Amino acid sequence: MIVLKISNSSEVVASKVGKFLEFLTPDSIDQSTVEDQVIKKLVENLAAEGIKGEIAAVQGIDLDGQDLKLHDGMKVRKHTSF
């Protein structure tokens, strides 16, 4: 299993849509938007290589160094099979 933590969602959104629009969007929307785009590109590239599997965006998990912390209310926000 692979865990990927994106830590600069706001900066990515700001670089794509501009600082003003990024200021108007909540960080949670920025995070979801970037995660969705990363998932889309990962699925495209992995499927093109013949790799089959599943990928999910999960809320309520935090990667902290060597520790994986699970929080109350953990849920799968998006799930895709490829």
Side-chain angles (χ1 to χ4, degrees):
M1 180 170 291
I2 297 171
V3 176
L4 171 67
K5 178 181 179 180
I6 300 170
S7 58
N8 68 336
S9 297
S10 293
E11 291 87 359
V12 171
V13 170
S15 72
K16 301 292 184 190
V17 299
K19 294 278 185 192
F20 178 72
L21 289 176
E22 190 276 330
F23 178 74
L24 297 175
T25 61
D27 287 341
S28 62
I29 292 176
D30 293 350
Q31 184 74 25
S32 297
T33 301
V34 171
E35 285 176 353
D36 290 348
Q37 288 302 311
V38 168
I39 288 171
K40 179 181 173 185
K41 290 296 184 180
L42 279 172
V43 167
E44 289 172 4
N45 290 323
L46 293 171
E49 294 295 326
I51 297 172
K52 295 181 181 181
E54 299 176 52
I55 190 167
V58 180
Q59 294 174 326
I61 294 179
D62 191 26
L63 183 61
D64 185 18
Q66 296 289 334
D67 297 324
L68 188 62
K69 297 180 179 180
L70 305 177
H71 302 283
D72 290 338
M74 187 180 78
K75 70 174 195 166
V76 174
R77 186 183 61 75
K78 180 175 183 157
H79 176 264
T80 304
S81 296
F82 55 95

